[in-house]
Amino acid sequence: MRRRAWQQRIARTSIRARLLIASLLLVMVALPLAGTGLAYNFRDAVTTAFDDRLESLLNVLLAGAQLDPQSNELSMTRSLGDPRFERVYSGWYWQVAGEGQALTSRSLWDQRLPTDDIQGLAVSEVDGPRGNRLRVMERDIRLPGHAGTLHVSVAASREELDREVARFEWLLSLSLLALGALLLVGLAVQIRWGLAPLRRMHANLRAVESGDAESLETRFLPDELARLAGAMNGVLERDRRLIERGRHAAGNLAHALKTPVSVLTTLAERFPDETRDRVQGELGRIDDAVRHHLARASATGGGVLAGKIDVGKTLAPVLDGLTRMGERRGVRLDAELAADLSVRMDAQDLQELVGNLLENALRWASSQVSLRFYPQGAGVELVIEDDGPGMSEAQREAALARGARLDERRSGSGLGLAIVEDLMTLYGGRLQLAESTLGGLAARAWLPSSPVAPSVAES
């Protein structure tokens, strides 16, 4: 379960985040490897140069070592030319030892370098005076006229070598950190620049979704995205044609069925009472079903592609007609619409939404119905209240669940609430039924400022 959650989280990671993480991992792996290689090569080069210097001093020492054949005593005929060999415990030492004799530099004072039997030139590291770590270059030689072997050594403290290596590694670390930061910044800029066409395409798609544009722009996109945008434009245009054709077909079907149903209803009046009631009941069910599905078909339109409409102008004819209907029934309709109120919604759908809710309120009201339309949060809210008998909490829940009339004594098919719920689903809105301050029922419909795709709304 946890593994699946991680897989889902990784799958939802944005392209930008994926590229940044990949770049970060690349920098974190490549730069330490490069730094390790550079530090190793520098340490090897510095150590080799240090050893070459020791070997040069050893050669000078070999050339200056002499054994007196008469007294059999060792002596040094030339100086190594470095004053550190004269300073006590300076870290630089030389020694010539053989047959119980030892000739040493002044810097070695009363200490001695270890001697081992070796073959040829050898390099080792030992602990010298005062615990200093020494790098020793040594060699065994034989002098003419002398049967014994002389062990010649030159030693120098590793402190200078280690200090130079440490300084290089410190500078290398700072340089790699700075390089890594610059690489990450450069890669972030590159990623942002590379994904800029996708951001433009996303903004363009949002404009199409909100109704501010009819199609995706293809002129300023790379060839790959331009072809994709062109294909999407073709799909959008085909959907528009299908939606418009579906609405026209729904209207034509409504007109085509209206006359036969009316004729059959009239003919049913001639039947006997028992037969007439049954036929009229079945015709009523047919009429209700036709109206229900045609109304839903007409409400299912280009909600996602709807443009911005003026609420006042759109609802003016609906409010005018329903106000007159209320006056005939003795019900006053008070409408309060916020100034310059607009909503992204198909005009016909908005009229259908408000018309159905207002008709229901006028049908049940005793004397007063109020309508308020105003901005609310990230959308707009419509509140319609009446002073009728209202509904209990259980009845309100049942009405929202079923979308049907609860009192068969009143006229009406009871399809209005079902149509309103379909419109709420289409535009990603919310519908609530509550107790009205006037004593009856209050219907609250909230719609987002930008329409939501049907697939999102239905989920």
Side-chain angles (χ1 to χ4, degrees):
M1 192 69 179
R2 183 177 300 176
R3 180 181 179 183
R4 184 176 181 181
W6 272 105
Q7 290 176 345
Q8 292 177 351
R9 183 177 299 179
I10 293 174
R12 290 194 300 266
T13 304
S14 65
I15 297 177
R16 180 181 180 184
R18 293 184 183 193
L19 293 176
L20 286 175
I21 292 174
S23 301
L24 178 62
L25 292 176
L26 177 63
V27 170
M28 291 177 62
V29 171
L31 290 186
L33 288 177
T36 302
L38 288 174
Y40 173 80
N41 289 328
F42 178 82
R43 189 182 302 108
D44 183 70
V46 172
T47 303
T48 300
F50 193 78
D51 291 342
D52 290 342
R53 185 177 179 183
L54 289 179
E55 186 176 4
S56 299
L57 293 173
L58 181 65
N59 290 332
V60 174
L61 190 63
L62 291 174
Q66 186 175 2
L67 184 67
D68 189 341
Q70 295 180 356
S71 62
N72 200 32
E73 293 183 356
L74 288 172
S75 63
M76 181 61 62
T77 60
R78 66 179 64 181
S79 172
L80 296 186
D82 193 325
R84 287 177 293 186
F85 288 107
E86 303 299 326
R87 193 168 63 248
V88 177
Y89 299 147
S90 64
W92 288 75
Y93 315 105
W94 61 263
Q95 174 179 286
V96 179
E99 295 185 353
Q101 301 184 63
L103 188 64
T104 65
S105 63
R106 180 178 176 80
S107 58
L108 197 56
W109 196 242
D110 58 349
Q111 301 291 319
R112 294 293 179 269
L113 298 175
T115 58
D116 295 316
D117 293 335
I118 58 174
Q119 297 293 329
L121 188 66
V123 180
S124 62
E125 292 189 2
V126 299
D127 291 328
R130 296 184 177 180
N132 289 337
R133 192 68 176 169
L134 302 178
R135 190 165 180 84
V136 182
M137 181 79 68
E138 52 190 339
R139 187 172 187 177
D140 289 340
I141 63 171
R142 291 180 180 273
L143 294 179
H146 184 70
T149 301
L150 297 180
H151 189 83
V152 184
S153 306
V154 176
S157 173
R158 282 192 57 93
E159 182 179 356
E160 180 182 346
L161 175 64
D162 293 338
R163 185 168 56 247
E164 189 172 355
V165 171
R167 182 174 179 275
F168 174 80
E169 290 179 346
W170 180 74
L171 292 175
L172 178 64
S173 299
L174 291 181
S175 301
L176 291 179
L177 286 175
L179 177 61
L182 289 176
L183 284 176
L184 288 177
V185 172
L187 289 170
V189 173
Q190 180 181 359
I191 291 171
R192 181 173 179 81
W193 178 72
L195 295 179
L198 283 177
R199 290 195 299 273
R200 289 198 301 269
M201 188 174 179
H202 177 264
N204 199 196
L205 186 59
R206 295 291 294 179
V208 173
E209 181 183 14
S210 61
D212 293 334
E214 293 185 356
S215 60
L216 296 176
E217 182 63 58
T218 59
R219 291 181 299 171
F220 304 107
L221 294 176
D223 292 340
E224 299 86 353
L225 293 181
R227 290 193 294 269
L228 176 61
M232 295 176 67
N233 285 336
V235 173
L236 291 173
E237 182 60 30
R238 185 188 64 182
D239 288 346
R240 286 194 185 95
R241 290 197 302 266
L242 290 176
I243 291 170
E244 198 63 29
R245 185 182 303 170
R247 285 191 163 184
H248 285 306
N252 294 335
L253 183 58
H255 286 291
L257 292 175
K258 183 178 180 180
T259 300
V261 172
S262 299
V263 171
L264 291 174
T265 303
T266 303
L267 292 176
E269 296 291 338
R270 304 176 184 178
F271 295 164
D273 292 342
E274 182 179 355
T275 306
R276 181 178 65 246
D277 293 339
R278 292 182 58 186
V279 172
Q280 287 180 342
E282 294 301 323
L283 288 174
R285 290 178 58 190
I286 293 174
D287 186 45
D288 288 347
V290 169
R291 289 179 56 197
H292 174 74
H293 292 291
L294 290 181
R296 289 197 171 195
S298 63
T300 305
V304 178
L305 306 178
K308 185 181 292 186
I309 59 173
D310 186 276
V311 172
K313 293 181 180 179
T314 303
L315 295 182
V318 176
L319 295 178
D320 184 61
L322 292 177
T323 298
R324 289 197 299 268
M325 185 182 77
E327 290 175 351
R328 291 195 299 267
R329 296 182 177 181
V331 178
R332 185 178 78 253
L333 173 59
D334 299 324
E336 179 185 345
L337 278 70
D340 300 327
L341 184 64
S342 60
V343 63
R344 296 191 182 278
M345 188 175 184
D346 184 81
Q348 180 181 347
D349 290 341
L350 180 60
Q351 292 173 349
E352 190 80 21
L353 169 67
V354 177
N356 277 289
L357 292 177
L358 273 180
E359 284 182 8
N360 184 74
L362 291 171
R363 183 180 301 117
W364 291 92
S366 299
S367 61
Q368 183 182 1
V369 172
S370 70
L371 177 147
R372 288 178 293 138
F373 218 138
Y374 53 90
Q376 177 65 33
V380 294
E381 187 164 58
L382 166 68
V383 180
I384 297 177
E385 300 182 87
D386 62 68
D387 60 352
M391 292 182 181
S392 66
E393 184 176 355
Q395 288 175 324
R396 291 195 296 266
E397 292 179 357
L400 289 176
R402 295 185 298 170
R405 268 188 313 122
L406 299 180
D407 191 344
E408 298 295 338
R409 294 174 296 176
R410 296 290 181 98
S411 60
S413 63
L415 301 175
L417 192 56
I419 296 172
V420 170
E421 288 177 338
D422 286 340
L423 289 172
M424 290 295 100
T425 301
L426 177 65
Y427 289 96
R430 298 189 301 267
L431 177 65
Q432 294 179 339
L433 299 180
E435 185 177 350
S436 170
T437 57
L438 300 179
L441 182 68
R444 298 178 177 272
W446 181 86
L447 291 166
S449 298
S450 298
V452 180
S455 59
V456 176
E458 292 171 2
S459 64

